[in-house]
Amino acid sequence: MSVNKVVLIGNVGKDPDVRYLDSGVAVATFSLATTDRAYTLANGTQVPERTEWHNIVLWRGLAQTAEKYVRKGDKLYIEGKIRSRSYDDQNGIKRTIVEIFADNMEMLTPRSASQQGGGYASQAQTAAPQQAPAQASQQQQSADSSLTDDLPF
């Protein structure tokens, strides 16, 4: 048995680049940054902040959702698989690229009411049918209000 699963929470490094294949299938690619905070060891040694960049690939419905809603700087939750591929560059040097093929994406950056009619962008999965943005926004607003009704502050 083996497992190939990646879970990332990070910030989008650039607006998604969305292409459509001849068959009409959407493919989106963008970079995602995850950062480990700086800290000091018990002996006083300081370990600096470290940022890791990940190449994210989204297909079909997730790619279309990213095209509409994901922008540089947004915070995302990504679940997927690690895939690597090799190619020869223009100089004939063999290069290897590591990508995260996302199965699930959730937007964690709140949107203002003027951008999407209020609420947060909802979770999207490749296997799930896509809802109209207004319908998803209404469902998210009702879910958000039911969660805040019981808060003591």
Side-chain angles (χ1 to χ4, degrees):
M1 183 171 97
S2 63
V3 176
N4 181 354
K5 180 149 182 130
V6 177
V7 175
L8 299 171
I9 295 177
N11 294 340
V12 177
K14 64 174 184 146
D15 287 353
D17 176 28
V18 181
R19 294 170 285 130
Y20 287 86
L21 305 178
D22 292 339
S23 61
V25 174
V27 181
T29 57
F30 58 91
S31 58
L32 188 80
T34 56
T35 303
D36 294 330
R37 294 183 187 203
Y39 59 94
T40 304
L41 298 174
N43 65 5
T45 304
Q46 293 194 350
V47 178
E49 179 177 273
R50 178 185 169 117
T51 300
E52 196 72 38
W53 288 92
H54 310 276
N55 298 310
I56 308 297
V57 180
L58 307 173
W59 291 86
R60 298 177 182 79
L62 277 180
Q64 293 171 333
T65 300
E67 181 177 35
K68 291 178 187 175
Y69 302 111
V70 175
R71 297 292 170 257
K72 178 180 178 178
D74 286 350
K75 186 171 285 291
L76 294 181
Y77 169 87
I78 298 283
E79 281 183 28
K81 295 176 175 65
I82 295 177
R83 298 272 169 94
S84 60
R85 59 184 170 90
S86 298
Y87 66 95
D88 293 328
D89 70 7
Q90 296 170 343
N91 300 325
I93 299 171
K94 188 172 187 124
R95 303 279 182 181
T96 301
I97 186 167
V98 176
E99 299 169 314
I100 308 300
F101 278 56
D103 299 323
N104 185 10
M105 171 184 70
E106 188 169 337
M107 298 183 69
L108 303 176
T109 302
R111 297 285 181 215
S112 70
S114 64
Q115 288 176 322
Q116 291 186 13
Y120 296 89
S122 64
Q123 179 178 2
Q125 294 180 336
T126 49
Q130 297 297 315
Q131 296 176 321
Q135 184 182 16
S137 178
Q138 290 171 350
Q139 287 178 349
Q140 188 65 39
Q141 282 178 348
S142 64
D144 288 346
S145 65
S146 67
L147 291 174
T148 58
D149 289 344
D150 296 334
L151 294 177
F153 49 89

